[in-house]
Amino acid sequence: MTSPPDHSYPPLFRQIQPNPIRRSSEDEIGVHIPVIDLESLDDDALAAACRDWGLIRLENHGIPSDLSMKLENETARLLSLSFEEKESRFHGSPVSYFWGTPAMRSLRSVNWVEGLHIPMDQLRSDVDSSFSALRSLGAEYGEHMARIARKIFDAVARDLKLDSSQLWSYLDESHGILRVYRYPLCPDVANYFGMDAHTDSSVWSILNQDSVGGLQILHGNQWLHVPPVPGSIVVNVGDMLQAISNDKYKSVQHRVLANGDKERMSLCYFAFPREGGVVKSSNYRPFTYQDFNAQVQQDVKDFGFKVGLERFRIKSQS
Ligand SMILES: O=C(O)CCC(=O)C(=O)O
Ligand SMILES: [Fe+2]
């Protein structure tokens, strides 16, 4: 017997036929990524992890567990409204609802995910009272994100020997973006991803995933599973930090597997450089995050995918 369609799911997600074929078990290789303690931060260990992995597991991060749980519950509540209600409620709001891959919504390429996109600065000005719980939880959570992003950025800045003006312009921790995701049940996990392979355009991305799992990173040509560990969060290097570090650190490719048995939730915060801050390094021509993002949008429109940093790389003459 099939279960009734979930009316909170985007209609496209209710249309495909179940496929009994599972993903092969080579996708299940687990990995112990470097663990960093935020309370007694070891600059060298953090820099080594950014260089060798582009990803860390952060412990003693100071985010109250009940805050993460309340934000996740509030997200789950809002995302379980009917699809039509979500579309109309968030229309024109500073908090936007999205599903699939905004740029590509053909059934073939769709990501099996939906979520809320929350620009932290606009969250404070949102006056719609129906979002008041999301607003206050998001603002409190955002303060923790800003604190963490700044603390680890200051640590890598010492490794990269950035000067004080670069410290200021390369990270604007109060203008980050919070995205809260639900990965709906997927009837065809062999052919769809929760989120297909990509790098993040951020300086850092700070990810708080629930206990379901499914996140993978590409490391040494192999996809490795990054299982959730209670109490810890995952931070990855984004494209901006790869450029700032002149390729010393790696913006790691990652993806999320689709799941046919359990829905998954995650909270993901993206930190960016200050508006107009010019990223300068010898491997890339100078650019701002706004230049980068405009190029990404254009490439997605023209080719259907993000080209990313290679667009800005200075090609060697040889
Ligand atoms: O939900 C996750 O675990 C990862 C999300 C992600 O990679 C992204 O939003 O860029
Ligand atoms: Fe990502």
XYZ file of all heavy atoms in Angstrom, residues 57-59 61 209-211 227-233:
107
model
N 34.544 19.330 12.336
C 33.449 19.107 13.279
C 33.765 19.974 14.490
O 34.871 19.901 15.030
C 33.413 17.621 13.674
C 32.142 17.232 14.365
C 32.160 15.793 14.780
N 32.041 14.830 13.683
C 30.942 14.648 12.953
N 29.876 15.383 13.164
N 30.901 13.735 12.005
N 32.815 20.829 14.868
C 33.077 21.786 15.937
C 32.368 21.351 17.217
O 31.156 21.111 17.216
C 32.570 23.155 15.494
C 33.141 24.388 16.182
C 34.649 24.476 16.005
C 32.483 25.655 15.617
N 33.172 21.267 18.296
C 32.602 20.909 19.604
C 32.746 22.092 20.559
O 33.511 23.012 20.301
C 33.346 19.698 20.162
C 33.013 18.444 19.392
C 33.603 17.186 19.990
O 34.597 17.295 20.727
O 33.059 16.110 19.691
N 30.760 24.487 21.060
C 30.468 25.684 20.259
C 29.575 26.675 20.984
O 29.402 27.805 20.546
C 29.822 25.276 18.932
C 28.755 24.236 19.101
N 27.578 24.489 19.759
C 28.721 22.929 18.723
C 26.844 23.378 19.768
N 27.507 22.415 19.155
N 22.932 19.599 11.694
C 22.025 18.609 11.106
C 21.365 17.771 12.194
O 21.922 17.593 13.271
C 22.768 17.710 10.107
C 24.027 17.044 10.619
C 24.640 16.063 9.608
O 23.950 15.476 8.795
N 25.964 15.874 9.683
N 20.180 17.251 11.897
C 19.512 16.382 12.876
C 20.158 14.997 12.845
O 21.239 14.820 12.274
C 17.988 16.357 12.638
C 17.583 15.603 11.385
O 18.448 14.990 10.732
O 16.383 15.630 11.050
N 19.496 14.004 13.436
C 20.160 12.704 13.612
C 20.022 11.771 12.406
O 20.499 10.638 12.450
C 19.585 12.021 14.856
O 18.185 11.850 14.656
N 28.602 11.543 9.239
C 27.440 11.237 10.076
C 27.231 12.293 11.160
O 28.194 12.916 11.617
C 27.790 9.883 10.715
C 29.254 9.737 10.562
C 29.732 10.646 9.480
N 25.980 12.510 11.553
C 25.746 13.472 12.638
C 26.288 12.934 13.954
O 26.203 11.731 14.215
C 24.210 13.577 12.690
C 23.673 12.433 11.924
C 24.746 11.884 11.055
N 26.871 13.814 14.751
C 27.337 13.443 16.097
C 26.647 14.397 17.060
O 26.799 15.618 16.928
C 28.879 13.573 16.207
C 29.333 13.384 17.644
C 29.571 12.592 15.281
N 25.846 13.874 18.002
C 25.085 14.756 18.885
C 25.982 15.791 19.571
O 27.082 15.461 20.017
C 24.481 13.785 19.920
C 24.468 12.453 19.235
C 25.641 12.444 18.301
N 25.516 17.011 19.610
C 26.246 18.075 20.307
C 27.289 18.769 19.449
O 27.831 19.796 19.851
N 27.610 18.211 18.297
C 28.613 18.882 17.456
C 27.950 19.441 16.202
O 26.877 18.991 15.798
C 29.733 17.910 17.068
O 29.301 17.031 16.057
N 28.601 20.429 15.615
C 28.131 20.973 14.338
C 29.268 20.845 13.316
O 30.414 20.562 13.696
C 27.682 22.451 14.466
C 28.810 23.313 15.029
C 26.433 22.558 15.326
C 28.498 24.802 15.031
